[in-house]
Amino acid sequence: MTPLVDIGANLTHASFGGDLAEVLERARGAGVGTIVVTGTTLEESRAAARLAERHEQLYATAGVHPHHARKCDARTIPALRELAAHPRVVALGECGLDYNRNYSTHPDQERWFTAQLELGIELGKPLFLHSRDAHPRFAEILHHHKPAKAVAHCFTGEQAELHAYLKLGLYVGITGWICDERRGRRLVELVREIPADRLLIETDAPYLTPRDMRPQPKSRRNEPAFLPQVLRAVARARERPVEEVAAQTARNARALFGLPQAA
Ligand SMILES: [Zn+2]
């Protein structure tokens, strides 16, 4: 099968501190060839870039998650600009809006989301975007600051939101949310409406362990080796062969992030 690309895994998370080598080994064994490590703060983004220097199968993003927008200051954008020049940093983000948890105020979130969008546009870098309960504001901001290439990662929204994103030219990232027989039911229907050339898959590890994994991992921790579970759920929902969805999503990830052709 085509080597898969996990476009979003939080491998700098403390839960991977003890056994990252094994986690990467299991990912390779499961057919996951490339993993893009998500940067969520300046420190985590630096750590993600360092991981990507050390492991051939890893790339990184550099950005500040909306949860942490309140900690941004005048040094944030210059620091991200520097990180963006790192050869293993393939996108800016994750950045966006999260009106679900509201760990940062809306004005702070919007200000730093916009600043990161502007930096991405200026540098011609793709954007890795997060939006939770923030439609239509999120789409409105993107409308005024439209990056050439971006992904709405971990899409869990409604139909109007999906079509607003598609109209903005975004790729759409699907996580193990689709494997949840209760809250993922809507996503099973909506995933059919995503054009094949915009579809991406991701684990968002260590979060969102696919609920239909048997057996469930003892630690409950999600990891990139579980990406095929998401792939199969997406293929089933779209009524397409698994291999076709594997090849298409890997091709899309390479196009979005400018990754080299898989060996
Ligand atoms: Zn996110």
Side-chain angles (χ1 to χ4, degrees):
M1 197 167 71
T2 312
L4 303 178
V5 181
D6 185 349
I7 66 138
N10 301 277
L11 296 186
T12 61
H13 190 274
S15 66
F16 292 113
D19 65 344
L20 186 65
E22 287 95 322
V23 166
L24 297 182
E25 186 62 49
R26 278 197 295 273
R28 268 193 300 272
V32 180
T34 304
I35 302 164
V36 182
V37 182
T38 312
T40 53
T41 64
L42 277 184
E43 303 77 69
E44 301 278 326
S45 299
R46 290 193 184 104
R50 278 196 301 272
L51 278 185
E53 282 168 13
R54 286 204 296 271
H55 302 277
E56 210 190 339
Q57 77 205 95
L58 303 183
Y59 292 88
T61 72
V64 181
H65 190 286
H67 287 344
H68 307 291
R70 65 194 159 86
K71 290 185 220 137
C72 290
D73 60 27
R75 289 162 298 189
T76 305
I77 295 300
L80 287 178
R81 183 190 299 275
E82 202 182 308
L83 268 169
H86 190 291
R88 306 293 289 183
V89 171
V90 293
L92 284 173
E94 83 177 280
C95 60
L97 302 177
D98 194 309
Y99 293 174
N100 180 268
R101 301 283 176 89
N102 291 312
Y103 291 149
S104 293
T105 65
H106 292 192
D108 273 351
Q109 290 190 38
E110 295 191 8
R111 175 175 170 201
W112 294 104
F113 175 32
T114 303
Q116 292 178 78
L117 281 174
E118 284 173 346
L119 180 64
I121 292 164
E122 179 200 321
L123 301 176
K125 273 283 209 221
L127 270 294
F128 188 92
L129 304 174
H130 171 104
S131 175
R132 186 99 194 264
D133 296 350
H135 186 67
R137 187 62 186 134
F138 176 80
E140 220 170 82
I141 291 174
L142 275 171
H143 197 76
H144 293 286
H145 307 272
K146 201 162 150 331
K149 285 181 181 176
V151 53
H153 111 98
C154 191
F155 179 78
T156 58
E158 285 300 324
Q159 190 175 40
E161 190 174 349
L162 175 65
H163 286 276
Y165 294 176
L166 293 174
K167 226 169 128 190
L168 283 160
L170 303 188
Y171 289 82
V172 180
I174 302 295
T175 59
W177 190 280
I178 197 171
C179 303
D180 188 318
E181 73 281 5
R182 301 162 309 168
R183 60 181 189 173
R185 207 176 306 155
R186 192 76 189 108
L187 191 54
V188 168
E189 291 162 21
L190 286 180
V191 80
R192 300 179 194 140
E193 299 178 19
I194 302 171
D197 62 356
R198 304 282 193 84
L199 180 67
L200 295 167
I201 52 173
E202 51 176 326
T203 57
D204 205 23
Y207 315 112
L208 299 175
T209 305
R211 276 181 55 91
D212 56 358
M213 291 268 306
R214 296 293 177 269
Q216 280 282 309
K218 264 187 230 103
S219 65
R220 312 281 298 157
R221 181 189 68 176
N222 195 8
E223 58 174 77
F226 303 159
L227 189 63
Q229 194 80 3
V230 178
L231 170 71
R232 284 189 291 269
V234 170
R236 207 159 46 233
R238 293 171 68 88
E239 298 175 12
R240 302 304 310 167
V242 171
E243 167 58 35
E244 180 189 301
V245 178
Q248 180 77 57
T249 53
R251 194 156 53 235
N252 295 345
R254 286 196 293 273
L256 168 61
F257 296 120
L259 304 176
Q261 204 63 21

